[in-house]
Amino acid sequence: MSEKSLAVFGWVGTTISVLMYVSYIPQIMNNLHGVKGSPVQPFVAAINGVIWVSYALLKEKKDFPLAAANAPGIIFGLITGITAIL
């Protein structure tokens, strides 16, 4: 696979990862309206996001698609988890 194709493939994966985390929005809305979900999975997603973003940015050659793909998991995972327990 060429470098250009691989880069496109990486950004497609990044987009799909971001969409996966944005899909927490309906659960956040449900949590805020009293239909609470479990906080376990969103908190685990947030921890996973911290690990992957750290890994991507601490490498000698930064992996921005990987960091961008997982950063929303930190934000949306924490918001979803917190709203589930409040």
Side-chain angles (χ1 to χ4, degrees):
M1 187 175 275
S2 73
E3 282 298 314
K4 184 178 179 181
S5 296
L6 203 54
V8 169
F9 193 63
W11 282 106
V12 168
T14 297
T15 302
I16 292 169
S17 290
V18 169
L19 291 173
M20 177 181 64
Y21 293 124
V22 169
S23 71
Y24 278 135
I25 292 173
Q27 183 60 49
I28 294 168
M29 307 237 342
N30 284 342
N31 289 341
L32 293 172
H33 288 101
V35 183
K36 304 289 186 175
S38 171
V40 175
Q41 196 278 336
F43 281 137
V44 172
I47 293 167
N48 182 59
V50 168
I51 290 169
W52 281 112
V53 169
S54 298
Y55 169 79
L57 297 179
L58 293 173
K59 290 173 54 175
E60 187 173 324
K61 184 177 181 217
K62 310 291 184 227
D63 191 339
F64 294 111
L66 183 60
N70 287 283
I74 300 168
I75 297 163
F76 288 111
L78 287 174
I79 293 170
T80 307
I82 291 168
T83 58
I85 60 175
L86 293 179

